[in-house]
């Protein structure tokens, strides 16, 4: 396994193509990019910020 490249994944529920991809990288950050524009930039979040986002998103689910 090449630890220098992130392993991107997206939700199995994203069948429309309008989604983001997420990857954990080796320096302890979570990376996020637009599936339709993979070269358009990447956001990096620390573990605490990402966990807060995931928890909030889960709370907002209908």
């Amino acid at each position: 396994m090449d630890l220098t490249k992130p392993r991107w994944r997206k939700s199995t529920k994203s069948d429309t193509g309008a989604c983001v991809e997420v990857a954990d990288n080796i320096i302890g950050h979570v990376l996020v990019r637009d599936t339709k524009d993979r070269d358009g930039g990447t956001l990096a979040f620390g573990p605490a910020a990402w966990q807060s986002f995931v928890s909030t998103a889960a709370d907002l689910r209908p």
Side-chain angles (χ1 to χ4, degrees), residues 33-55:
R33 69 181 180 185
D34 185 342
T35 300
K36 294 178 292 187
D37 186 14
R38 292 181 173 140
D39 295 325
T42 300
L43 301 173
F45 297 93
W50 182 251
Q51 184 58 45
S52 178
F53 168 76
V54 170
S55 294

Side-chain angles (χ1 to χ4, degrees), residues 4-30:
T4 62
K5 294 181 182 177
R7 295 182 63 190
W8 294 99
R9 62 192 184 280
K10 65 180 180 175
S11 171
T12 57
K13 297 181 185 229
S14 62
D15 55 0
T16 64
C19 57
V20 296
E21 295 176 315
V22 177
D24 299 317
N25 82 1
I26 60 172
I27 58 172
H29 286 83
V30 176

